[in-house]
Amino acid sequence: KQEVTQIPAALSVPEGENLVLNCSFTDSAIYNLQWFRQDPGKGLTSLLLIQSSQREQTSGRLNASLDKSSGRSTLYIAASQPGDSATYLCASPRVDSGNTPLVFGKGTRLSVIA
Amino acid sequence: GAGVSQSPSNKVTEKGKDVELRCDPISGHTALYWYRQSLGQGLEFLIYFQGNSAPDKSGLPSDRFSAERTGGSVSTLTIQRTQQEDSAVYLCASSSKTSGRYNEQFFGPGTRLTVL
């Protein structure tokens, strides 16, 4: 059974700093891994999805990596801005298959201080 | 195109009443998921539809919870005899097996349910 963990639970950084958010998973037979952003009182916005066969994905200032052997994914945010403040969640399918429910970490709450 | 929509956005009800939550997935998405996010808790899977059938209902917390999907589109989550512990944000997501990014799930804004 897949389990997903995110550490730290909260992170505060000054504006302009580069930062890394961590995500760990227990089952290395991972189908894909998806990173989301959640603003207070809002739903989830998909940021990046890394397929099992990929090592990383990039979108603008965001870069997500996947290391199946170590059971880890990281989300790198370059030149952080106050608008990046949100909770970041990672998730993986429960089983090694497409179109199955996701297992979520509890998220990292990021605050970028101007 | 339009994203996942949910209604109502907020629902306040009294303990013991029934509530219905609605989800409109992205057009053409075959898979639809319901999750629950309670205060201080992570996202908890409730039920999943592929087309109109629900191959996985394992996350429904009790028999007071049920869901249906008709026409391979709209889904309704029903909670009977609501309890205070049902208070949470109920999130719906959809995905397409035919998309290049397999199982990428897109979420709606959620319904915040408060049971008094």
Side-chain angles (χ1 to χ4, degrees), chain B residues 14-81:
Chain B
E14 294 179 348
K15 177 181 173 182
K17 300 283 190 184
D18 298 351
V19 296
E20 284 190 353
L21 312 180
R22 177 187 168 107
C23 172
D24 277 275
I26 293 172
S27 178
H29 277 195
T30 55
L32 186 149
Y33 313 80
W34 284 98
Y35 298 89
R36 177 168 76 172
Q37 188 173 36
S38 304
L39 190 62
Q41 301 294 316
L43 270 130
E44 169 190 19
F45 163 70
L46 298 177
I47 187 170
Y48 145 63
F49 289 91
Q50 181 63 41
N52 290 334
S53 64
D56 192 342
K57 305 178 184 180
S58 62
L60 294 177
S62 76
D63 59 7
R64 295 185 296 104
F65 287 71
S66 64
E68 65 175 14
R69 188 181 187 195
T70 55
S73 181
V74 172
S75 175
T76 303
L77 177 69
T78 301
I79 309 173
Q80 296 179 310
R81 306 181 302 282

Side-chain angles (χ1 to χ4, degrees), chain A residues 6 21 34-40 42-48 61-62 75 77 81-91 104 107-108 110 112, chain B residues 37 43 91 107-108:
Chain A
Q6 291 184 253
L21 305 180
Q34 198 166 352
W35 281 93
F36 296 89
R37 167 184 174 139
Q38 186 174 31
D39 292 285
K42 305 290 185 184
L44 276 64
T45 299
S46 179
L47 296 174
L48 290 163
R61 294 183 294 108
L62 305 180
L75 180 67
I77 302 177
Q81 303 170 358
D84 295 330
S85 298
T87 296
Y88 291 81
L89 296 149
C90 66
F104 283 84
T108 294
L110 174 66
V112 180
Chain B
Q37 188 173 36
L43 270 130
L91 292 161
F107 280 75

Side-chain angles (χ1 to χ4, degrees), chain A residues 47-61:
Chain A
L47 296 174
L48 290 163
L49 180 143
I50 312 177
Q51 301 286 8
S52 173
S53 58
Q54 297 174 324
R55 294 284 298 195
E56 63 179 67
Q57 279 286 311
T58 298
S59 175
R61 294 183 294 108

Side-chain angles (χ1 to χ4, degrees), chain B residues 67-112:
Chain B
E68 65 175 14
R69 188 181 187 195
T70 55
S73 181
V74 172
S75 175
T76 303
L77 177 69
T78 301
I79 309 173
Q80 296 179 310
R81 306 181 302 282
T82 52
Q83 303 294 312
Q84 288 183 332
E85 61 262 28
D86 299 335
S87 296
V89 176
Y90 289 82
L91 292 161
C92 175
S94 69
S95 66
S96 169
K97 204 169 187 178
T98 57
S99 72
R101 289 147 66 90
Y102 230 60
N103 200 50
E104 181 174 17
Q105 295 190 17
F106 297 89
F107 280 75
T111 293
R112 181 175 297 278

